Amino acid sequence: MSEELLHQVTLNGAGPVHIAVIMDGNGRWARGRALPRPLGHQAGMRAVREAVEGALAAGVEVLTLFAFSQENWQRPADEIGALMALLEEYIAREMADLKQQGVTVRFLGDLERLPQAQRAAVERLMAHTEGGTRLALNICISYGARAELTRAARLLAEEVRAGRMAASDIDEEQVARRLYTSAFPDPDLLIRTSGELRLSNFLLWQLAYAEIYVTPVLWPDFQRQHLWEAILEYQRRDRRFGKVTA
Ligand code: FPP
């Protein structure tokens, strides 16, 4: 059944180049099993592998995952500690396979807030997977879209003050070039799991014309066929970018 979905995706052609995902519902998954929340995140880590392998199989070029927001720093210390430990575990466990599969990993966000060990681990994974050509995997960590836009404004202001550009040179392209995602096209498709209908301060600039797909599936239950179902739904949509259909 799931291979049929992939076959249909391939037959349809013109799938999304860039998919962004808000991975939500780890806590509810754990609560539903009377487990501590960190075990929900651990199960969520396995689903990350499903998403990556599903994206590779479907020919997606860029996959951007929201793993930890700036607001998540306000969670209880033990949950933050568990998430940081999982990040290191993910890197240790997946590094060789990601490299072998041709995945280039980048971490987007305020990485300076990460503890030293995690900072070193993310730098290691980025360096190790550099140059992979099949999939760009962006993992947003300590990320907030408003902070990202504020940072871009500050960078532009500094360049104007230094005389390297005029205020009148600032246009949408100049802003986009100072976002963490500057190397990538905007997401075509945003997937949010667990049924919530919010953007949660994720890629507010980049998602301007993304198609939105919300599934009730909790993130730890997310499997590659769920990704393919989302792509099939995307392929049925009529994207107009504010214009009329030709
Ligand atoms: C949202 O669920 C999920 C997170 C805050 C963390 C996402 C982390 C992972 C998927 C695992 C680690 C991933 C990597 C790449 C190392 P929630 O806790 O807000 O769930 P709830 O809304 O049900 O409480």
Side-chain angles (χ1 to χ4, degrees), residues 23-28 37 41 44 67 72 75 87 90 219:
M23 309 185 287
D24 195 13
N26 295 352
R28 274 161 286 165
R37 291 176 60 85
H41 296 313
N72 289 155
R75 291 195 177 194
L87 177 62
Y90 175 79
W219 180 253

